[in-house]
Amino acid sequence: MTDAKTASSFEEGLKGASEKVAEFHEEKSPLKRLQHWLHQTPSAVPMIVLVVALLVFGVLAENFFKAGTLSVILQQIAIVGILGCAQTIVILTAGIDLSVGAIAVFSSVLMGQATFRYGVPAEIAIVIGLILGTAMGAMNGLLIAKMKLPPFIATLGTWQILLSANFIFSANETIRSSDIATTAPALQLWGGSIQPGGVKILYAVFLMIALVAIMAWILRNTAWGRHVYATGDDPQAAELAGVPTGKVLIQVYALAGFFCAVAGWVMIGRFGSVSPTASTGQLGNIQSITAVVIGGISLFGGRGSIVGMFFGALIVGVFEMGLRLVGTDPQWTFFLIGVLIIFAVAVDQWIRKVAS
């Protein structure tokens, strides 16, 4: 009886009381709002850096904004941009691929040798090269997803293996541009160009832009793209949510291998010849990682945009061309790119505090 009276008096005491739920309002400073905006728009930082670089070099070098100069910049980043597509999807899963340059060069050698050593029609040789490049990438994925090797160690090993296999298989033989043009012009397809208004634009540039646009749409609008981000952001939580993270990793590295093989095909058109000693084998890894990092893609996975990678590659191209036109020592290019890399990682760490 006493409990009933207590309950009744308690309810009576609540009559007229406010029913509003407690709310907490955090006053965000302009710096905090900027931090949140950059977290939601990861390609914003490289875009801003690119615009500033264009304006600075446009003022310092009178010929910088000529159509021919901008076209040359795009031609120079065509291969790096395609390798950057491969590196982007890998780094989004919190991995890294140190073998992208070796896969590209070995794929180009396989295409060339299949045609000139074994008499395979160029079109079929290209397909073979693309398939084998995809298989090399899938091998990386299996080592990482199934054998649980760290991506850095696995791809460091395959980089050495593939680069050595490239030299052994080719016997260090370079296939000359004139021979390719005569016997297998399909290998040099992406070296072709159009010249609107007298400005030369390689087909390879259009290919790079198309691949970036397609992958940007896939990563943003498909379940597979969301699985890639989820795998990089928190693989344990992704597995609990039903994401087949192991399968996603194998697919990502296989697709990266395919992009590398495409880059190898572009290399033949861009340089004319097939050379096992092409610098891309050693430098392609660093160049692609540089474009990705400067492009605002987090090395910790799960955050970033492939469009940002494209901006990152453009930034490198703009710095190289701008400094050359200004007449400075080429070593300043490496200096400034190094500064940009450190700046990009520092900004990424700052932005990540929003999510923590």
Side-chain angles (χ1 to χ4, degrees):
M1 190 73 175
T2 306
D3 291 343
K5 288 181 178 179
T6 303
S8 176
S9 61
F10 177 75
E11 290 173 357
E12 289 176 1
L14 289 177
K15 289 180 179 179
S18 174
E19 297 180 358
K20 289 185 178 180
V21 179
E23 296 179 356
F24 299 93
H25 297 281
E26 180 186 359
E27 288 294 331
K28 291 183 179 179
S29 65
L31 189 63
K32 199 73 174 177
R33 287 197 292 269
L34 173 64
Q35 192 178 19
H36 275 272
W37 179 68
L38 292 177
H39 184 266
Q40 296 170 353
T41 318
S43 61
V45 173
M47 182 180 66
I48 293 169
V49 173
L50 176 62
V51 171
V52 171
L54 287 171
L55 292 175
V56 169
F57 287 119
V59 172
L60 296 178
E62 59 180 63
N63 294 326
F64 185 78
F65 277 124
K66 285 190 174 180
T69 302
L70 300 178
S71 172
V72 170
I73 292 173
L74 288 172
Q75 292 174 39
Q76 290 177 338
I77 69 166
I79 296 170
V80 173
I82 297 172
L83 290 177
C85 289
Q87 199 69 257
T88 295
I89 56 175
V90 168
I91 289 181
L92 284 176
T93 64
I96 197 165
D97 193 343
L98 299 179
S99 67
V100 292
I103 294 176
V105 174
F106 197 13
S107 297
S108 71
V109 166
L110 288 168
M111 293 176 191
Q113 293 295 341
T115 300
F116 286 88
R117 185 186 298 176
Y118 301 108
V120 177
E123 292 76 10
I124 298 177
I126 291 167
V127 173
I128 292 172
L130 295 175
I131 292 172
L132 291 176
T134 305
M136 295 175 211
M139 178 176 66
N140 285 332
L142 288 169
L143 291 172
I144 294 162
K146 298 299 183 184
M147 296 185 65
K148 305 300 181 183
L149 296 181
F152 183 91
I153 300 301
T155 58
L156 178 63
T158 54
W159 171 55
Q160 297 281 3
I161 292 169
L162 295 174
L163 207 57
S164 299
N166 161 59
F167 292 127
I168 294 168
F169 176 74
S170 66
N172 286 336
E173 176 188 355
T174 297
I175 302 173
R176 295 180 303 177
S177 177
S178 57
D179 294 335
I180 296 174
T182 302
T183 307
L187 293 175
Q188 295 179 334
L189 171 65
W190 301 110
S193 64
I194 60 173
Q195 298 189 15
V199 179
K200 181 180 179 181
I201 305 176
L202 293 182
Y203 296 152
V205 172
F206 295 107
L207 175 64
M208 173 190 63
I209 294 172
L211 289 177
V212 169
I214 291 169
M215 286 308 301
W217 186 88
I218 289 174
L219 289 170
R220 184 180 301 172
N221 298 291
T222 67
W224 185 82
R226 290 189 288 273
H227 289 173
V228 170
Y229 279 99
T231 300
D233 187 43
D234 191 333
Q236 285 77 28
E239 285 184 356
L240 291 173
V243 176
T245 55
K247 185 178 178 181
V248 169
L249 284 174
I250 294 172
Q251 291 171 344
V252 162
Y253 280 90
L255 182 58
F258 173 77
F259 285 143
C260 293
V262 171
W265 185 13
V266 170
M267 283 171 56
I268 301 175
R270 181 78 175 84
F271 304 133
S273 61
V274 174
S275 173
T277 60
S279 61
T280 303
Q282 286 82 17
L283 299 179
N285 317 319
I286 301 301
Q287 292 170 337
S288 63
I289 294 171
T290 299
V292 168
V293 172
I294 293 177
I297 297 171
S298 176
L299 288 172
F300 300 97
R303 195 186 70 82
S305 164
I306 200 166
V307 175
M309 178 281 301
F310 178 61
F311 289 151
L314 277 173
I315 289 169
V316 175
V318 166
F319 268 76
E320 290 179 348
M321 178 60 72
L323 291 172
R324 190 184 309 164
L325 291 176
V326 172
T328 60
D329 189 323
Q331 295 303 320
W332 279 105
T333 303
F334 298 103
F335 177 87
L336 291 173
I337 290 172
V339 171
L340 280 175
I341 291 173
I342 295 172
F343 170 76
V345 175
V347 169
D348 174 59
Q349 291 281 52
W350 178 64
I351 292 173
R352 281 175 65 85
K353 292 180 182 178
V354 174
S356 61

